Amino acid sequence: MKDNMVEMANKSVVASLKSLVVSACALSLSCVAAASVLDRPFFRANATVVVIGAGDFNDNGGVAPVVFDFLHLENGVSGTAATDLIGLDGRPVNLNSGLFNPIFSEDAGGNEFQINDAVSGGEFNSTGPNQILNATDSYNAFVLDEDTDVGLENLGTRASRFFVASNSAFDIYAHANNLETTGTFDALDLSNIRFRLRYQVTGGGATNRWGERAQDPAIGGAGIIFPQTTAIRLDAISSGPTQVFDGGRRTAAEPGSLLEQAVGFQARYNLLGDDNTATNYDLSLGSGSIAADVTYTVYVP
């Protein structure tokens, strides 16, 4: 009898303890198993610049327009090259007949000649391509006097373009090197090539128009470092990458395509004679060639 009473008392105590635990769990979450998931959606557009031109020289089968630089500008400083997410070195373009055409290399042919100050005649008839003289071109017979002369077409100017579209400010540096000369042009060097850089926010035409939704990227910066009125020579940018454009803001002003948001940069080069003052070719220079590489690189401002 006594044992039964003890057993009944123990059961009563256990029941009371269970009741207390249930009551405690009802008042607190500490007794309930739990798991959590922490999500953190975010959207961030890194500072980015795309450079548009041609995939290669025209005579090497290049096509245009092509994006050959996709630059990641985060965490850099001006003068230090940004990470390029496309492994391709591009070429600039010409805008001929309203089309983007890759430039030709010096291997494609010589410059076009023009007849200056003819009494009559002397018209140049080109079958194309632009800026290249070849055996299919022709000239009209011309009457000459004491002022008539022969020079390079357009005063020996070579022009080319590349385009930049960006969501941030950017700088451009240029470096001239790899000089090569042939024939009697061996007497010339980088100081015999005049260099100017300019930019156009919008231009072109029809489907090949650019910049309709772009803005002036120089605002907030210094813009072109060497004004067009300053006739610098390529030797001025031959010691290493030299800043030629100081940007202050992005090119993209409104929603649109890359070409609509792109700004065009045009480089113009002129041949200077052996006296380093003439702005064109003269027969006394003889025959030969002079060529150099000019590398344009986009940097973080």
Side-chain angles (χ1 to χ4, degrees):
M1 185 70 178
K2 181 178 180 179
D3 290 339
N4 289 337
M5 291 179 64
V6 170
E7 183 178 356
M8 291 178 63
N10 289 338
K11 287 182 178 180
S12 177
V13 170
V14 170
S16 297
L17 289 173
K18 286 183 177 181
S19 178
L20 289 173
V21 170
V22 171
S23 298
C25 289
L27 297 173
S28 172
L29 297 178
S30 61
C31 296
V32 178
S36 62
V37 176
L38 178 61
D39 197 4
R40 186 178 176 84
F42 76 96
F43 303 91
R44 176 179 176 179
N46 291 328
T48 302
V49 168
V50 299
V51 184
I52 305 166
D56 203 341
F57 287 121
N58 197 312
D59 44 307
N60 288 340
V63 296
V66 169
V67 172
F68 52 79
D69 281 337
F70 198 104
L71 303 173
H72 184 279
L73 302 185
E74 295 291 312
N75 302 319
V77 294
S78 189
T80 302
T83 302
D84 187 0
L85 303 183
I86 298 178
L88 176 68
D89 291 326
R91 300 291 182 179
V93 301
N94 286 313
L95 188 69
N96 301 321
S97 303
L99 302 175
F100 296 117
N101 301 301
I103 65 169
F104 283 85
S105 73
E106 69 270 23
D107 298 326
N111 293 71
E112 300 165 341
F113 286 96
Q114 68 182 17
I115 311 302
N116 300 317
D117 299 318
V119 176
S120 63
E123 294 83 8
F124 175 61
N125 308 301
S126 177
T127 59
N130 183 266
Q131 296 186 340
I132 298 296
L133 182 69
N134 55 45
T136 63
D137 297 328
S138 66
Y139 291 87
N140 295 343
F142 57 95
V143 177
L144 72 162
D145 60 15
E146 66 275 10
D147 296 323
T148 306
D149 199 1
V150 174
L152 295 182
E153 185 80 6
N154 298 319
L155 300 178
T157 298
R158 304 290 293 184
S160 57
R161 284 187 175 91
F162 61 92
F163 303 88
V164 175
S166 77
N167 66 354
S168 67
F170 59 92
D171 295 338
I172 299 177
Y173 284 59
H175 180 210
N177 62 356
N178 194 27
L179 174 72
E180 294 183 0
T181 59
T182 65
T184 56
F185 281 32
D186 282 341
L188 306 181
D189 57 29
L190 290 175
S191 67
N192 292 102
I193 301 177
R194 186 174 68 177
F195 163 67
R196 292 175 294 174
L197 182 69
R198 66 177 184 175
Y199 68 96
Q200 295 170 287
V201 175
T202 186
T207 58
N208 292 310
R209 187 165 181 78
W210 75 84
E212 291 184 301
R213 299 182 182 275
Q215 61 186 358
D216 186 346
I219 293 178
I224 299 294
I225 301 299
F226 301 105
Q228 293 188 59
T229 55
T230 303
I232 71 164
R233 288 86 183 284
L234 286 188
D235 61 336
I237 58 173
S238 63
S239 61
T242 303
Q243 188 172 9
V244 293
F245 178 79
D246 176 51
R249 62 179 183 174
R250 65 183 183 272
T251 68
E254 302 174 16
S257 68
L258 283 178
L259 277 178
E260 288 176 328
Q261 296 173 340
V263 169
F265 288 83
Q266 185 185 60
R268 299 177 69 86
Y269 311 96
N270 290 85
L271 176 66
L272 303 180
D274 56 358
D275 61 357
N276 227 338
T277 58
T279 57
N280 202 347
Y281 168 84
D282 183 86
L283 292 178
S284 62
L285 282 171
S287 62
S289 65
I290 178 171
D293 290 335
V294 181
T295 303
Y296 296 94
T297 306
V298 176
Y299 292 97
V300 179

